[in-house]
Amino acid sequence: MKRVGNLYEKIIAIDNLRLADEKARRGKLNSYGVKTHDKNREENILKLHEMLKNKTFRTSEYHIFKIYEPKEREIFRLPYFPDRIVHHAVMNILEPIWVSVFTADSFSCIKKRGIHGAMRKVKIAMRDVENTKYCLKIDIRKFYPSIDHEVLKQIVRRKIKCTDTLWLIDHIIDSADGVPIGNYLSQYLANLYLTYFDHWIKEDIGIKYYFRYADDMVFLHSDKAFLHGLLVLINNYFHSELNVSLKGNYQVFPVAVRGIDFVGFVFYHTHTKMRKGIKKNFCKAVAKLNKRRDVSEKEYKQRISSWLGWAKYSDSKHLLKTIIKSEVYGTLRF
């Protein structure tokens, strides 16, 4: 695989830093970090350029907090200036290089390869009923916190050879244990960590129907025993190559009986449902709205719009007809 050099000057170029600033601020114009940065915006960009040029840039202290939905996780937040601008500056240059390495069936934080992209691919695969009878579903135990820095650095070096760029990426990698959830760059580093595993599965093992969203992985096959054998191979690969472990909740099951719970949907050969938790929250929200008399049709739709997005891509018309007010349901378009 050809390695790419001469990247650092592009990363630290003032025009690229300005572009990174524009991207980093999208949707955050009223945040404290952006407002503070804008008081000396051009001066800060020039200062950041010098910090990177002289290699005096250091990652700022993280603000760490916990979230509890959909599960408990520690989130790491960095200041807007200089850190988040730096991460965008790196990705402006490296994103096309790294995306070119990803397989077509890996998703999450990749342009045009989000939840709906994954959903469409699985739906297409399910048309091949004979070869998707059984499913192996796995994920990695504490994936982001357990990422091994030395392994990650070696994976980065499989595509990048620019010494100065490697210095910057290494510094960002070593700024926290594992890969911190919340960093813009972390999303791509986590994807990169598993991308050569993806190639091994697709090209060396020869699995046709394999889909990965972050560390949530689905393998489909006609033979249940084959998938049990594959599980052993995967476990060995994770231990020997990536120094991570499977969660104990791995499953091998017939698709016709249980369906595949993946990216918020449950896939069967004949139909697709919303995930149970999403459906439950949807029903609760609609029940509350139905009790209110002061909600306009417009507001009603706005409050359930995110769930309508899930319903649009699943077989949920009967559910919608059952729970949504008839006068609102009659105006919905799919």
Side-chain angles (χ1 to χ4, degrees):
M1 182 179 292
K2 185 178 179 181
R3 298 169 70 221
V4 184
N6 301 317
L7 297 168
Y8 196 64
E9 291 302 318
K10 297 176 184 178
I11 291 171
I12 71 171
I14 291 174
D15 284 347
N16 186 51
L17 296 178
R18 289 189 181 118
L19 176 61
D21 184 18
E22 289 297 329
K23 289 185 175 181
R25 68 178 49 229
R26 288 174 185 168
K28 302 180 179 69
L29 293 179
N30 293 320
S31 69
Y32 174 79
V34 174
K35 287 182 176 179
T36 303
H37 166 62
D38 281 353
K39 292 176 183 178
N40 300 286
R41 187 176 181 183
E42 189 61 21
E43 181 182 332
N44 283 342
I45 294 295
L46 296 174
K47 180 182 175 182
L48 179 54
H49 171 74
E50 290 301 316
M51 290 164 63
L52 291 167
K53 182 179 178 181
N54 300 326
K55 294 187 180 178
T56 57
F57 169 80
R58 297 293 181 270
T59 295
S60 304
E61 184 177 350
Y62 285 95
H63 169 57
I64 304 172
F65 60 96
K66 286 187 178 182
I67 62 170
Y68 298 91
E69 291 293 337
K71 60 183 178 181
E72 183 177 330
R73 292 186 295 181
E74 277 195 334
I75 305 297
F76 292 69
R77 180 181 290 161
L78 285 169
Y80 180 82
F81 174 85
D83 305 85
R84 283 150 77 175
I85 296 174
V86 167
H87 287 207
H88 277 268
V90 169
M91 288 313 304
N92 284 346
I93 306 304
L94 296 192
E95 183 178 12
I97 297 170
W98 282 345
V99 169
S100 71
V101 179
F102 298 154
T103 65
D105 294 323
S106 58
F107 302 87
S108 172
C109 308
I110 307 171
K111 288 176 183 176
K112 298 183 180 179
R113 283 200 248 165
I115 286 173
H116 290 150
M119 175 272 300
R120 283 190 288 269
K121 280 289 187 80
V122 175
K123 273 191 170 183
I124 291 170
M126 296 295 276
R127 296 173 188 168
D128 187 356
V129 177
E130 185 62 31
N131 291 308
T132 57
K133 285 183 177 180
Y134 296 96
C135 174
L136 165 63
K137 191 171 185 296
I138 64 172
D139 57 353
I140 294 171
R141 183 178 177 273
K142 296 183 178 178
F143 176 49
Y144 276 77
S146 68
I147 288 176
D148 185 302
H149 286 192
E150 294 309 310
V151 174
L152 177 56
K153 289 174 186 178
Q154 290 307 310
I155 290 172
V156 169
R157 282 159 173 76
R158 293 180 71 167
K159 192 63 181 175
I160 306 298
K161 68 178 181 180
C162 174
T163 305
D164 292 334
T165 300
L166 291 172
W167 164 80
L168 179 57
I169 295 172
D170 286 355
H171 168 71
I172 293 171
I173 289 171
D174 288 334
S175 66
D177 293 337
V179 166
I181 299 172
N183 277 357
Y184 178 61
L185 191 54
S186 294
Q187 303 166 358
Y188 291 89
L189 291 174
N191 242 334
L192 192 66
Y193 200 73
L194 292 173
T195 198
Y196 294 102
F197 167 77
D198 298 339
H199 283 281
W200 176 72
I201 285 291
K202 286 282 191 179
E203 296 153 18
D204 294 356
I205 305 300
I207 305 297
K208 182 177 181 180
Y209 299 125
Y210 160 62
F211 308 97
R212 178 174 65 79
Y213 190 93
D215 68 317
D216 194 4
M217 290 165 264
V218 165
F219 308 79
L220 303 173
H221 204 269
S222 60
D223 186 353
K224 186 176 182 180
F226 175 89
L227 291 177
H228 279 290
L230 177 62
L231 181 62
V232 175
L233 294 177
I234 291 170
N235 205 28
N236 291 338
Y237 185 102
F238 282 170
H239 280 291
S240 64
E241 301 294 328
L242 298 178
N243 196 26
V244 293
S245 302
L246 282 173
K247 269 188 188 176
N249 63 348
Y250 56 82
Q251 307 162 12
V252 177
F253 56 89
V255 172
V257 175
R258 291 184 49 184
I260 305 163
D261 189 337
F262 185 59
V263 296
F265 298 94
V266 182
F267 299 90
Y268 294 87
H269 291 113
T270 55
H271 60 287
T272 303
K273 294 182 177 180
M274 275 189 278
R275 178 177 287 160
K276 186 177 180 180
I278 294 172
K279 177 182 173 182
K280 186 177 179 181
N281 291 335
F282 184 21
C283 290
K284 281 183 178 180
V286 171
K288 287 181 180 179
L289 285 172
N290 289 345
K291 292 178 182 178
R292 292 177 54 183
R293 298 177 179 273
D294 60 338
V295 181
S296 67
E297 181 183 308
K298 182 179 180 181
E299 184 183 353
Y300 191 107
K301 288 181 179 179
Q302 286 175 340
R303 287 181 176 271
I304 63 172
S305 60
S306 61
W307 288 291
L308 289 176
W310 293 102
K312 179 180 179 180
Y313 293 99
S314 59
D315 298 293
S316 302
K317 285 189 177 181
H318 179 71
L319 171 68
L320 295 179
K321 191 173 183 179
T322 303
I323 66 173
I324 291 178
K325 285 183 176 180
S326 57
E327 58 268 31
V328 177
Y329 177 80
T331 65
L332 297 178
R333 296 289 180 268
F334 292 96

